[in-house]
Amino acid sequence: MDNERKLTIARAMAEATAQEMRIDPRVFVMGEDIADLGGVFGNTRGLAEEFGKERVRDTPISETGFIGAAVGAAQDGMRPVVELMFVDFFGVCFDAIYNLMAKNTYFSGGKFNVPMVLMTSTGGGYSDAGQHSQCLYGSFAHLPGMKVVSPSNAYDAKGLMTAAIRDPNPVIYMYHKGLQGMGWLGTEKGAIVHVPEEPYEVEIGKARIAREGRDVTIVSIAQGVHHGLKAARILQDQGISAEVVDLRSLVPLDRDTIRASVAKTGRLIVVDEDYHSFGVSGEIIATVTETNLADLKAPPRRIAYPDVPIPFARVMEQYCLPNADKIVAAARELCGAVIPA
Amino acid sequence: MDNERKLTIARAMAEATAQEMRIDPRVFVMGEDIADLGGVFGNTRGLAEEFGKERVRDTPISETGFIGAAVGAAQDGMRPVVELMFVDFFGVCFDAIYNLMAKNTYFSGGKFNVPMVLMTSTGGGYSDAGQHSQCLYGSFAHLPGMKVVSPSNAYDAKGLMTAAIRDPNPVIYMYHKGLQGMGWLGTEKGAIVHVPEEPYEVEIGKARIAREGRDVTIVSIAQGVHHGLKAARILQDQGISAEVVDLRSLVPLDRDTIRASVAKTGRLIVVDEDYHSFGVSGEIIATVTETNLADLKAPPRRIAYPDVPIPFARVMEQYCLPNADKIVAAARELCGAVIPA
Amino acid sequence: MTPSRNTLGWMYEKMVASRHFEELIEKIYMEGKTPVFNMANGPIPGEMHLSNGQEPVAVGVCAHLTPDDIVTATHRPHHQAIAKGVDLKKMAAEIFGKATGLSGGRGGHMHIFDAEVNFACSGIIAQGMGPAAGAALSRKLQGKPGVAVSFIGEGAANQGAFHETLNLAAVWKLPMIVVVEDNAWGISVAKEASTAIQCNADRAAAYGIPGHYIPGNDPLKIYEVAGEAIARARRGEGPTLIEVETYRLAGHFMGDAEGYRPDGEKDALFAKDPIPNLRRLLVSDHGFTEAELDEIEDKARAEIEEAIAFARQSPDPKPEDALTAVFA
Amino acid sequence: MTPSRNTLGWMYEKMVASRHFEELIEKIYMEGKTPVFNMANGPIPGEMHLSNGQEPVAVGVCAHLTPDDIVTATHRPHHQAIAKGVDLKKMAAEIFGKATGLSGGRGGHMHIFDAEVNFACSGIIAQGMGPAAGAALSRKLQGKPGVAVSFIGEGAANQGAFHETLNLAAVWKLPMIVVVEDNAWGISVAKEASTAIQCNADRAAAYGIPGHYIPGNDPLKIYEVAGEAIARARRGEGPTLIEVETYRLAGHFMGDAEGYRPDGEKDALFAKDPIPNLRRLLVSDHGFTEAELDEIEDKARAEIEEAIAFARQSPDPKPEDALTAVFA
Ligand SMILES: Cc1ncc(C[n+]2csc(CCOP(=O)(O)OP(=O)(O)O)c2C)c(N)n1
Ligand SMILES: Cc1ncc(C[n+]2csc(CCOP(=O)(O)OP(=O)(O)O)c2C)c(N)n1
Ligand SMILES: [Mg+2]
Ligand SMILES: [Mg+2]
């Protein structure tokens, strides 16, 4: 419906957070530049105005300190929503994340839990170079004890944020800069969709069939889903029917949905803006081949970021990034279609 | 030959380092407790005595500081060999590792290089719990710009260390505590092998066929190789011929050797003490299925650490760890052999 | 601020209990590890960091805390846990890796967590500090009482988390105390080889907060200084940094040959053992009788022995329970 | 220590050059980004952090350095690079992402690396400090001359790396200087909201090293204090921490609406612009003529324009070269 309310992911995230803050006094927000500025990527806009700077607090540039603090606050009964401005910065504070946040529930035999959300921006494509453009999906998904989600559109963004805040466990909430709907980062129109006003949850750990198809399954998350959808539209014109799976969560990973799709199509392409090796794309391929080897009509393929740091120069970065053309070419190959010259 | 000189991995590492220090004044060593104590895991024993405490320096407990410093020293022409005592501690200093060490060569277009070795201990099995028992192979191998090696025996340990120190690039040298030959950590006898006195290199990026076989390929690294070899001996008695591939390097990954082996055997088991998902095991399976789908006579299998923090209690930890029995069971299944009750 | 007679008795009791706990653990730890010392063996496998000699810090500080206050500890947590009132049986069972342990054997000696008394650990140096600040923030946001104390070693004061957390706590005026146990060594590295200044308490100046150094491993002096700092925090006046000279009478961990210690150091330390010292003082200055103190000791020891016996007798966890409690 | 006439002229020249560089970059950066501001577009895509107003720190410090000395810089590196003598053409080309750039376009504005003059960057806050300490250590181990200067922002002084590196440099008496550019803001967060004390120079006490605060964004005062610190380091007496009050005349990055600034702050800062200030001073106190200074300015500007023209005209890198130079 054209007159439905459409939001950007940034606004959907802020709305979900505000709604939870209204009903749950335990929820508070902290991070760099999240109060007055409303977050560099807009996802906390309006919160400081509504809830004040005690509950929405700018931090020093001390990620180890304040993410560690979030863990302690969560263990003490609060529900911190904390921001790591770029996922690329995880190297200065990963201990607080994966050795504390992710493990204290286990170490305490479930006596403490750590209900917190760590929001962090991912992704490149706008020439921000090698320390500000990574996805690092695999780096987080590999380590046990934290859930990992990433929305491809504003509807999921709101529902996943609500679910994440309500979850009694730590959730890494990765939002792709290219989908935020901040004009200055470019805008993926497909991410701006209808978002209901009332609070709702999108279940963490459930993938979504973003488009149904018969011939090939394209599995991705966040920005990659839009590449997949674009490719699917092109492929349709070429007589190839592609199914697009939007993972939405990496942990838990909805292996059933992936497998069911490939069982149907017999062909798999994984689209991953994270580095190629030892990450998401390998895991998805292994997931399928472990159980559905006989279904595979062609070897699985991955369109992932090559194993190189992300270059600044636009031509170089664009060369490396996944895109619809690369997916189309791979799909045609898998389907045995003639590759047009 | 029984009267050949046999060394532990710890001694082999120290010997390689000492030999390079003798011929190359740029090589120096730093880390926590590596001077007087000779390293908690023995791999710097004797160095402070021979080279003095300027070149073999104990550091404060400041991993970000001293690993960052190693990067700067390497860029300035030195060849630091630096130790992160347990790989589990990478969270306090990963930025220095993956955003500086691993990327500065690229950021400088090759004008700076960063010839350093980061040694770090891995692995569990002795009840050191969830912050001191991890392997994290995948966490390092996933990120571009650093080589990653891990020896399964003292011969490779020396040759890989020599190659790593001489390499103009950063090398993560992961040594498994269970293989070090320190009695107090238990001793895997198979790791203590003949080591020539003179310096030699083992090429980084080349896997080794640790045992030839026809029916199933067991791919692993470090401790997992010994589980694989043990399993192969048991399987042989049961009429199954297993080939064991010792990766030795994860980056570069010797995909050719893996593929050639599976092309021959048609069956793949990956043994990985690192966490199951989004890591090494998925990558190896994807590597094979991408190119050798048709060769596979059965779905690939992985015996990996489950996606849970590492528990302290011995019965729990042992339940989770890979071992020969699990490999044997998987191999029999893959080969369609009857599983004995 | 002088402790009441009751508190003095409590302090002595907890020091004795703590020491006795370590002595028993030490002995049992070696079971199954002779003649060949292999950490993986015996009823208590893994690393073991004993706190012998460091009891004064734990009791001097924790005497001011209620179960509702928060403590975060380190790889060397037993004395603090005992002083904070962590359930002794469950703690002992945890160290044995038993099903009845605090976390059913998942955590072990370096991961003592007791939600009942708000006690948590991290085996990663200085990384308990952030969570302590966060718990303090939680109380501040909720308008609930409670202070958070983070214990760390002097070696940990060179870790980035030390700096970030103290700055954060100071900017936000959090009810938090950082207590540095200066036992002169970080494993084999002496304080002066790792720390640019003599006294970490002086680092308080970097955060505009009070800093105190307490020499002599003296429980009464610690009680006094900690009491003031904690009262200050409870009044909402912000954090304090306290460094305490203390003695590590044991090796860094069990199996440590301690070759790095200068000759005679260990003997000198044993001569200053704080437990007999306190006992003498209680008799000479505080009117305790020897009989009274014997009774306190017996009670303390008995409780420990009971806890250890409980741990011994408890069943192993089910192996497959390793896969549970990852998520709430 | 007063700079020689030559040095004064050099300082003025580099300040003018740096400012002109930023002004041109600012203009060109906006090409292709109007009417809709999208960072990905135009001849210079990505984030852009300008250094307008912070030139005094760069020239006051770098006036004492040779190409052989080491500098590590941050996400805001242009002024320091220019003062350190980084190749202007290659640097401009790098910022344009051209094949002729310092790293062939791989690094861009936040990753200016010039091995010829030992200049390196990190876009991660405070993470240039470790490498600077390491380069200083390298010189010490080799017995070679050279000091390492790490420039950071005042916001960075709350990062763990600040603490770890200063302690390390102090314990090891490394020839290193840490220069904190206090421009009062870390993006939108004011210094007093993030830092527990007024002045980071006071944090030197935590490491037993000299600490100096220099108010007024004054290049001559900076020259003097930095000169002493660098001489001290060259004599082997160890590190110094210097904090300099400076002004960020631009937004944090291009596109920053700066809504967080109090009313009137920007105007007040522009009124204190250090470049016209220095010009007046050179005439009034140091015997420079207006004509001389015009000539210096013209020369500085011409060099910058040449560099920018070079960058403009240079070819794009080959896309597939993205895959090279990962390893040596
Ligand atoms: C980040 C990190 N680095 C290194 C270690 C290894 N380690 C464990 S204890 C220890 C020494 C700690 O010294 P100190 O803080 O003085 O505490 P103490 O052992 O004396 O109680 C070290 C280096 C660790 N656990 N975490
Ligand atoms: C570890 C880390 N955290 C956060 C950021 C994001 N960030 C970039 S610049 C900046 C502010 C830096 O402030 P300051 O150090 O004062 O330098 P200035 O920008 O004022 O020059 C922040 C928070 C980062 N790059 N690295
Ligand atoms: Mg100590
Ligand atoms: Mg600033």
Side-chain angles (χ1 to χ4, degrees):
Chain A
M1 283 179 282
D2 260 10
N3 56 357
E4 273 182 328
R5 189 181 77 131
K6 290 189 175 180
L7 293 187
T8 62
I9 287 184
R11 283 176 158 283
M13 288 172 70
E15 179 168 290
T17 308
Q19 289 177 338
E20 292 310 295
M21 289 181 83
R22 282 178 209 129
I23 59 175
D24 187 345
R26 300 170 302 174
V27 180
F28 73 103
V29 185
M30 61 181 166
E32 291 154 19
D33 305 283
I34 57 100
D36 283 337
L37 201 71
V40 172
F41 305 110
N43 42 304
T44 56
R45 200 155 289 173
L47 299 181
E49 287 82 339
E50 180 174 352
F51 301 101
K53 289 179 77 164
E54 277 289 297
R55 264 182 98 188
V56 181
R57 27 181 81 220
D58 280 335
T59 62
I61 311 175
S62 306
E63 289 85 356
T64 286
F66 72 78
I67 297 176
V71 174
Q75 288 175 189
D76 200 51
M78 299 295 285
R79 302 229 155 200
V81 177
V82 58
E83 169 140 306
L84 175 66
M85 191 188 288
F86 288 74
V87 73
D88 312 67
F89 308 160
F90 85 123
V92 304
C93 55
F94 207 36
D95 189 77
I97 297 170
Y98 102 103
N99 259 340
L100 294 176
M101 183 192 83
K103 292 181 182 162
N104 279 0
T105 302
Y106 192 76
F107 286 150
S108 69
K111 305 287 175 23
F112 281 106
N113 56 16
V114 191
M116 61 181 272
V117 182
L118 180 68
M119 309 185 283
T120 189
S121 75
T122 64
Y126 63 104
S127 284
D128 215 2
Q131 293 178 333
H132 291 77
S133 301
Q134 298 164 98
C135 285
L136 303 178
Y137 299 132
S139 298
F140 284 78
H142 180 50
L143 298 167
M146 46 191 163
K147 301 187 176 179
V148 180
V149 304
S150 191
S152 69
N153 62 70
Y155 179 89
D156 288 349
K158 178 170 174 180
L160 286 171
M161 180 57 85
T162 304
I165 294 173
R166 294 179 185 173
D167 200 295
N169 295 293
V171 179
I172 307 289
Y173 188 106
M174 302 176 114
Y175 57 91
H176 193 290
K177 282 166 272 173
L179 304 180
Q180 274 301 86
M182 307 294 278
W184 57 276
L185 287 164
T187 301
E188 168 56 57
K189 296 242 164 48
I192 302 174
V193 300
H194 171 59
V195 175
E197 306 240 12
E198 67 282 3
Y200 59 92
E201 295 185 34
V202 165
E203 187 182 339
I204 295 175
K206 279 271 167 288
R208 182 179 68 96
I209 305 293
R211 179 190 173 108
E212 292 201 30
R214 286 177 323 270
D215 301 328
V216 56
T217 298
I218 300 169
V219 173
S220 195
I221 193 161
Q223 177 82 291
V225 173
H226 297 280
H227 298 316
L229 289 169
K230 243 163 266 170
R233 287 192 291 269
I234 299 171
L235 287 165
Q236 176 166 34
D237 294 342
Q238 304 180 0
I240 293 172
S241 162
E243 177 144 309
V244 179
V245 177
D246 179 352
L247 291 173
R248 300 197 291 197
S249 300
L250 293 173
V251 180
L253 180 64
D254 186 352
R255 298 187 202 262
D256 291 344
T257 296
I258 302 167
R259 286 171 174 152
S261 178
V262 180
K264 175 172 72 173
T265 64
R267 298 181 187 89
L268 170 65
I269 297 173
V270 185
V271 181
D272 184 15
E273 195 183 322
D274 191 13
Y275 301 113
H276 180 104
S277 298
F278 303 95
V280 171
S281 60
E283 183 62 27
I284 306 290
I285 292 175
T287 293
V288 167
T289 49
E290 282 171 328
T291 53
N292 293 64
L293 185 63
D295 293 326
L296 284 171
K297 298 177 188 148
R301 290 285 295 271
R302 43 185 163 178
I303 314 288
Y305 202 91
D307 293 325
V308 307
I310 295 174
F312 164 71
R314 189 165 176 81
V315 294
M316 285 175 153
E317 188 188 13
Q318 296 301 323
Y319 174 82
C320 292
L321 284 167
N323 60 36
D325 290 346
K326 294 182 185 180
I327 302 169
V328 167
R332 291 184 59 85
E333 241 180 271
L334 288 191
C335 296
V338 182
I339 312 290
Chain B
M1 281 179 286
D2 260 7
N3 55 357
E4 274 180 328
R5 189 181 77 130
K6 291 189 175 183
L7 293 187
T8 62
I9 287 184
R11 284 176 157 281
M13 289 173 70
E15 179 169 289
T17 308
Q19 288 177 340
E20 291 310 293
M21 289 182 83
R22 282 179 208 129
I23 59 175
D24 186 345
R26 300 170 302 175
V27 180
F28 73 102
V29 184
M30 60 180 166
E32 290 155 18
D33 305 284
I34 57 100
D36 283 338
L37 201 71
V40 171
F41 305 111
N43 42 305
T44 55
R45 199 154 290 174
L47 298 180
E49 287 83 337
E50 180 173 351
F51 301 102
K53 289 178 76 165
E54 275 290 296
R55 264 182 98 189
V56 181
R57 27 181 80 218
D58 280 334
T59 62
I61 310 175
S62 306
E63 290 85 357
T64 286
F66 73 77
I67 297 176
V71 174
Q75 288 176 188
D76 200 52
M78 300 294 286
R79 302 229 154 201
V81 177
V82 57
E83 170 141 306
L84 175 65
M85 192 187 287
F86 286 75
V87 73
D88 312 67
F89 308 160
F90 85 124
V92 303
C93 56
F94 207 37
D95 190 76
I97 296 171
Y98 102 103
N99 259 340
L100 295 175
M101 183 191 82
K103 291 181 182 162
N104 280 359
T105 301
Y106 192 76
F107 286 151
S108 70
K111 304 288 173 23
F112 281 105
N113 55 19
V114 190
M116 62 181 271
V117 182
L118 180 68
M119 309 185 283
T120 190
S121 74
T122 64
Y126 63 102
S127 284
D128 215 2
Q131 293 179 332
H132 291 77
S133 300
Q134 298 164 99
C135 285
L136 302 178
Y137 299 132
S139 297
F140 283 78
H142 180 50
L143 298 166
M146 47 191 164
K147 300 186 177 180
V148 180
V149 305
S150 191
S152 69
N153 62 69
Y155 179 89
D156 288 349
K158 179 171 175 180
L160 286 171
M161 181 55 87
T162 304
I165 294 174
R166 293 179 185 172
D167 200 296
N169 295 294
V171 179
I172 307 289
Y173 188 106
M174 303 177 113
Y175 57 91
H176 193 290
K177 282 166 273 172
L179 304 179
Q180 274 300 84
M182 308 294 278
W184 56 276
L185 287 164
T187 302
E188 169 55 58
K189 294 242 163 50
I192 302 172
V193 299
H194 171 59
V195 176
E197 306 239 12
E198 67 282 1
Y200 60 92
E201 295 183 35
V202 165
E203 189 182 339
I204 295 175
K206 280 271 168 289
R208 181 178 69 96
I209 305 291
R211 178 189 174 110
E212 292 200 31
R214 286 177 324 272
D215 301 328
V216 56
T217 297
I218 300 168
V219 173
S220 195
I221 193 161
Q223 177 83 289
V225 173
H226 296 282
H227 298 315
L229 289 169
K230 242 162 268 170
R233 287 191 291 269
I234 299 170
L235 287 165
Q236 177 167 32
D237 294 342
Q238 305 179 358
I240 293 173
S241 161
E243 177 144 310
V244 179
V245 177
D246 179 353
L247 292 173
R248 300 198 290 199
S249 300
L250 293 174
V251 180
L253 179 63
D254 187 351
R255 299 188 201 261
D256 291 344
T257 295
I258 302 167
R259 287 169 174 153
S261 177
V262 179
K264 177 172 71 173
T265 65
R267 298 180 187 89
L268 170 66
I269 297 172
V270 186
V271 181
D272 184 14
E273 195 183 322
D274 191 12
Y275 300 114
H276 180 102
S277 297
F278 303 96
V280 171
S281 59
E283 183 62 27
I284 305 291
I285 291 174
T287 293
V288 166
T289 50
E290 281 170 329
T291 53
N292 293 62
L293 185 64
D295 293 327
L296 284 171
K297 298 176 190 151
R301 290 285 297 271
R302 41 185 164 178
I303 313 288
Y305 202 91
D307 293 325
V308 307
I310 296 174
F312 163 71
R314 189 165 176 81
V315 292
M316 286 176 153
E317 187 188 14
Q318 296 301 323
Y319 174 81
C320 293
L321 283 167
N323 61 36
D325 290 344
K326 294 182 185 181
I327 303 169
V328 167
R332 291 184 59 86
E333 239 179 273
L334 289 190
C335 295
V338 182
I339 311 289
Chain C
M1 207 190 306
T2 327
S4 68
R5 198 171 193 284
N6 253 352
T7 302
L8 283 169
W10 178 90
M11 287 167 72
Y12 187 65
E13 180 190 326
K14 291 301 158 192
M15 283 174 63
V16 168
S18 181
R19 180 69 59 86
H20 194 53
F21 190 80
E22 301 297 50
E23 283 164 352
L24 291 185
I25 293 285
E26 188 171 358
K27 229 172 63 198
I28 298 165
Y29 182 81
M30 290 309 294
E31 289 175 20
K33 296 197 183 70
T34 46
V36 182
F37 182 78
N38 176 346
M39 264 190 194
N41 297 333
I44 305 177
E47 281 185 73
M48 178 51 60
H49 310 84
L50 300 176
S51 63
N52 310 38
Q54 304 190 189
E55 302 86 356
V57 196
V59 299
V61 174
C62 294
H64 301 284
L65 303 180
T66 73
D68 190 47
D69 293 314
I70 299 102
V71 161
T72 65
T74 68
H75 59 286
R76 195 183 304 289
H78 300 169
H79 54 321
Q80 293 143 359
I82 290 171
K84 184 63 172 63
V86 167
D87 187 293
L88 281 176
K89 286 185 179 165
K90 289 186 189 165
M91 169 165 127
E94 186 61 34
I95 295 169
F96 279 71
K98 294 299 182 70
T100 53
L102 285 164
S103 71
R106 293 178 188 80
H109 141 77
M110 276 193 277
H111 307 288
I112 301 293
F113 283 73
D114 188 347
E116 300 296 314
V117 297
N118 290 295
F119 189 90
C121 279
S122 174
I124 308 295
I125 292 304
Q127 300 296 322
M129 290 185 67
L137 173 63
S138 159
R139 298 304 169 90
K140 195 179 170 177
L141 287 173
Q142 296 181 66
K144 274 205 216 160
V147 301
V149 178
S150 178
F151 289 97
I152 60 170
E154 91 295 336
N158 298 316
Q159 181 72 206
F162 174 87
H163 176 65
E164 294 194 7
T165 310
L166 276 170
N167 181 62
L168 197 72
V171 180
W172 290 351
K173 273 209 170 192
L174 300 179
M176 174 178 183
I177 316 289
V178 175
V179 179
V180 181
E181 302 194 32
D182 175 13
N183 62 10
W185 295 97
I187 309 187
S188 71
V189 179
K191 186 183 189 186
E192 63 267 24
S194 69
T195 309
I197 55 174
Q198 274 198 316
C199 176
N200 283 303
D202 294 345
R203 291 182 166 172
Y207 316 105
I209 61 172
H212 304 284
Y213 187 78
I214 309 173
N217 206 17
D218 174 352
L220 300 197
K221 189 76 190 150
I222 297 165
Y223 177 87
E224 184 188 325
V225 174
E228 276 160 31
I230 290 168
R232 187 175 183 275
R234 292 200 202 280
R235 288 194 306 269
E237 294 169 25
T240 298
L241 173 61
I242 299 173
E243 185 170 34
V244 183
E245 185 193 14
T246 189
Y247 315 137
R248 198 187 79 200
L249 296 179
H252 169 70
F253 53 17
M254 292 283 300
D256 180 359
E258 298 182 75
Y260 47 82
R261 297 239 204 206
D263 280 353
E265 174 172 305
K266 273 303 263 291
D267 291 343
L269 291 183
F270 276 114
K272 297 191 286 184
D273 187 332
I275 293 182
N277 271 357
L278 181 60
R279 186 175 169 123
R280 272 189 298 275
L281 193 79
L282 292 184
V283 173
S284 65
D285 291 19
H286 298 277
F288 281 78
T289 66
E290 301 284 356
E292 228 175 329
L293 294 170
D294 285 345
E295 200 182 310
I296 289 177
E297 289 197 14
D298 290 347
K299 179 179 159 232
R301 292 213 176 87
E303 208 188 357
I304 293 300
E305 275 152 32
E306 203 187 331
I308 299 278
F310 172 80
R312 282 256 199 208
Q313 287 148 18
S314 289
D316 277 339
K318 278 192 256 138
E320 63 275 22
D321 278 353
L323 307 183
T324 64
V326 180
F327 289 111
Chain D
M1 208 189 307
T2 328
S4 68
R5 198 171 192 283
N6 253 352
T7 301
L8 283 169
W10 177 89
M11 286 167 73
Y12 187 64
E13 181 190 325
K14 292 300 160 193
M15 282 174 64
V16 169
S18 181
R19 180 68 61 87
H20 195 52
F21 190 81
E22 302 297 50
E23 282 164 353
L24 291 184
I25 293 285
E26 188 171 358
K27 230 172 63 198
I28 298 165
Y29 182 81
M30 290 308 295
E31 290 175 19
K33 296 196 183 72
T34 46
V36 182
F37 183 78
N38 175 344
M39 264 190 193
N41 296 334
I44 305 178
E47 280 184 74
M48 178 54 59
H49 309 84
L50 299 176
S51 63
N52 310 38
Q54 304 190 190
E55 303 86 355
V57 196
V59 300
V61 174
C62 294
H64 301 284
L65 302 180
T66 73
D68 190 45
D69 292 316
I70 298 100
V71 162
T72 65
T74 68
H75 58 287
R76 194 184 306 288
H78 300 168
H79 55 321
Q80 293 144 357
I82 290 171
K84 184 62 171 61
V86 167
D87 187 293
L88 280 178
K89 287 184 178 165
K90 290 186 189 165
M91 169 164 128
E94 185 62 32
I95 294 169
F96 278 72
K98 294 300 182 71
T100 54
L102 285 164
S103 72
R106 292 179 188 79
H109 142 77
M110 276 192 277
H111 306 288
I112 302 292
F113 283 74
D114 189 347
E116 299 296 315
V117 298
N118 290 296
F119 189 90
C121 279
S122 174
I124 309 295
I125 293 304
Q127 300 296 322
M129 291 185 67
L137 173 63
S138 159
R139 298 305 168 89
K140 194 180 171 178
L141 287 173
Q142 295 181 68
K144 275 206 218 162
V147 301
V149 178
S150 178
F151 289 99
I152 61 169
E154 92 294 337
N158 298 317
Q159 181 72 205
F162 174 87
H163 176 64
E164 294 194 7
T165 310
L166 276 170
N167 181 62
L168 196 72
V171 180
W172 290 352
K173 274 209 168 192
L174 299 180
M176 174 176 183
I177 316 290
V178 174
V179 179
V180 180
E181 302 193 33
D182 173 13
N183 62 10
W185 294 98
I187 309 186
S188 72
V189 180
K191 186 184 188 184
E192 63 267 24
S194 69
T195 310
I197 54 174
Q198 274 199 317
C199 175
N200 284 303
D202 294 345
R203 291 182 166 175
Y207 316 104
I209 60 172
H212 305 284
Y213 187 78
I214 309 174
N217 207 16
D218 175 352
L220 300 196
K221 190 72 192 152
I222 297 164
Y223 178 86
E224 186 189 322
V225 174
E228 276 160 30
I230 291 168
R232 187 174 183 277
R234 292 201 202 281
R235 289 195 305 269
E237 293 169 26
T240 298
L241 173 62
I242 299 173
E243 185 169 32
V244 183
E245 185 194 14
T246 190
Y247 315 137
R248 197 187 80 200
L249 297 179
H252 169 71
F253 54 15
M254 293 282 300
D256 180 358
E258 298 181 74
Y260 48 83
R261 297 240 205 206
D263 280 352
E265 174 172 304
K266 273 301 263 291
D267 291 344
L269 291 182
F270 276 113
K272 297 191 285 184
D273 187 332
I275 293 183
N277 270 358
L278 181 59
R279 187 175 166 122
R280 275 191 295 276
L281 193 79
L282 291 185
V283 174
S284 65
D285 290 18
H286 298 277
F288 280 79
T289 66
E290 300 285 357
E292 228 175 329
L293 293 170
D294 285 346
E295 202 182 309
I296 288 177
E297 290 198 11
D298 290 347
K299 182 181 157 226
R301 293 212 176 88
E303 210 188 352
I304 293 301
E305 276 151 32
E306 205 187 328
I308 298 280
F310 171 81
R312 283 256 199 207
Q313 288 148 19
S314 289
D316 276 340
K318 279 193 255 138
E320 63 275 21
D321 279 353
L323 307 182
T324 63
V326 181
F327 289 112

